[in-house]
Amino acid sequence: MVDTGVRTEIARLRATKTTVPDLDARPLDAKPLDVRGRFQNLRERLFAPLEPLLKDKTTLYVVPDGFLFAVPFSLLPDADGGLLEDRYTIRMLTSPDALIAIHAREKLDTTGAMLLAGGIEYGQPGPMPLPGTKIEIEAIAKLARGRGAPVEMLSGRSVSESTLRETIGKVRIAHLATHGFYHDSTASGLDTLWQSGIVLSGAGDSRFPLRDDGDGYLYAFELMDWDLSGLDLLVLSACETGRGDESFVSGLRGLPTALGIAGARRALLTLWPVADEGTANFTVRFYEHLADGLTYSDALRQTRRDARDGKIAGARDSSVWAAFVLFEG
């Protein structure tokens, strides 16, 4: 199904640097990066045979397998020259069983509690600071408080694994803005669940995969033992949180797998490195649409449209807006 052109394009997107020039400085009539041609063959193989069955449909439920987890379905072209997502709401499911539960609690609980973590202070030496993440969570907190929702904010050196685990069970939405990491397990021989995760307070430059609440690294292997069943939404606003290795068991082994085992109803993740500013502005607009009453999947779809239309600073390029995927189930 997935040909060389698709794999090449995804590899190019994964190689995108996390800090990019101001993409919105380009003229408004400038053409975006031409990625549709790369995905044309995949669209024809996956969806063209189904066209007679899709004429009157508005929603597509996709249960990917293997490398299809890595495909940004929001970039697949439609037969009329637009994007497939312009025609359908595309919902990504981690398993067929997810259809049973995903239609419950599909909209923002306007008074539900939120946990926001960003502006994290890493170790010295340690990962590069992300100043945009503090602005990101402050903007989201303002929106939440404006509708009367309780907000728990963590930043600086207070974003520890133990604190997160204790707090996350008391909220409906958790938004963690930080670094994410993923390493292919082929070279090291380590399980991918020890090769993917997110970075917390005090993290240093070197790490060894083990269960340690104080090392500043929250691995997928650790996260899958958490209870995330009370969350309506988990947002990991970080690089490559949607990646994993192909697996014969569940199609993918990585953070998405761990979150599913932990009971997360839905998680907004990224398929490749994303720019700090563009990510912050993109996620804030996403919450604005949720506050307006859109479902989680429709809010993401509309946020992508806003980015494509140049309405979100730093997010107009597909290397930003197409990176975000809402995995449900």
Side-chain angles (χ1 to χ4, degrees):
M1 280 292 187
V2 185
D3 61 20
T4 302
V6 171
R7 292 177 181 267
T8 299
E9 182 58 33
I10 291 175
R12 185 192 68 80
L13 289 166
R14 285 175 174 171
T16 303
K17 294 182 179 180
T18 56
T19 53
V20 298
D22 183 6
L23 297 167
D24 296 310
R26 299 179 306 170
L28 290 177
D29 59 351
K31 295 182 178 180
L33 295 176
D34 181 20
V35 296
R36 299 183 190 183
R38 299 274 191 169
F39 294 100
Q40 183 65 39
N41 287 341
L42 183 60
R43 189 208 71 83
E44 291 177 356
R45 294 183 183 199
L46 282 177
F47 293 103
L50 303 176
E51 285 293 340
L53 303 174
L54 300 177
K55 289 181 179 178
D56 60 343
K57 304 300 186 292
T58 58
T59 304
L60 295 179
Y61 297 92
V62 179
V63 186
D65 182 67
F67 195 82
L68 287 175
F69 267 96
V71 173
F73 279 79
S74 60
L75 282 177
L76 263 60
D78 197 7
D80 63 2
L83 292 177
L84 202 66
E85 192 176 56
D86 294 333
R87 184 175 164 194
Y88 308 103
T89 297
I90 302 175
R91 301 184 66 167
M92 306 298 295
L93 311 184
T94 53
S95 72
D97 294 344
L99 274 170
I100 299 172
I102 62 170
H103 292 290
R105 290 159 38 189
E106 284 195 286
K107 293 187 177 182
L108 180 70
D109 179 351
T110 55
T111 59
M114 294 186 70
L115 169 63
L116 304 173
I120 297 173
E121 185 178 337
Y122 307 117
Q124 294 294 334
M128 177 183 68
L130 297 173
T133 60
K134 184 67 178 298
I135 299 171
E136 178 178 345
I137 64 169
E138 288 175 344
I140 296 169
K142 183 177 180 181
L143 286 172
R145 289 169 177 152
R147 65 173 192 273
V151 176
E152 177 80 20
M153 293 187 68
L154 300 175
S155 61
R157 299 196 63 82
S158 67
V159 192
S160 67
E161 189 173 327
S162 57
T163 300
L164 277 180
R165 187 168 189 167
E166 178 183 353
T167 310
I168 207 165
K170 304 173 184 177
V171 300
R172 298 295 289 274
I173 292 180
H175 182 106
L176 313 180
T178 182
H179 285 290
F181 60 90
Y182 164 82
H183 301 287
D184 193 314
S185 63
T186 304
S188 65
L190 289 173
D191 191 308
T192 312
L193 295 174
W194 283 115
Q195 294 282 75
S196 54
I198 59 172
V199 185
L200 305 179
S201 295
D205 276 339
S206 61
R207 61 180 183 272
F208 186 79
L210 47 80
R211 291 186 180 275
D212 184 351
D213 286 359
D215 63 356
Y217 291 94
L218 177 56
Y219 297 93
F221 199 95
E222 297 173 296
L223 193 54
M224 71 180 184
D225 286 337
W226 291 24
D227 181 5
L228 303 178
S229 58
L231 290 176
D232 289 344
L233 173 70
L234 172 64
V235 178
L236 296 183
S237 182
C239 296
E240 302 186 290
T241 49
R243 291 192 63 182
D245 287 354
E246 295 181 46
S247 167
F248 289 109
V249 179
S250 60
L252 186 79
R253 190 168 179 84
L255 265 174
T257 311
L259 296 176
I261 294 172
R265 185 178 297 268
R266 55 184 66 84
L268 185 60
L269 310 175
T270 59
L271 296 176
W272 53 75
V274 284
D276 193 15
E277 179 194 2
T279 297
N281 295 332
F282 187 93
T283 57
V284 171
R285 180 62 63 90
F286 171 67
Y287 285 105
E288 289 174 348
H289 286 309
L290 288 178
D292 288 338
L294 294 184
T295 64
Y296 292 105
S297 55
D298 285 338
L300 178 58
R301 183 188 187 195
Q302 186 58 52
T303 304
R304 288 199 192 107
R305 285 178 174 173
D306 291 346
R308 288 163 51 194
D309 292 340
K311 298 178 181 178
I312 304 176
R316 186 174 174 223
D317 196 272
S318 59
S319 64
V320 179
W321 59 261
F324 291 89
V325 177
L326 186 67
F327 285 113
E328 303 184 83

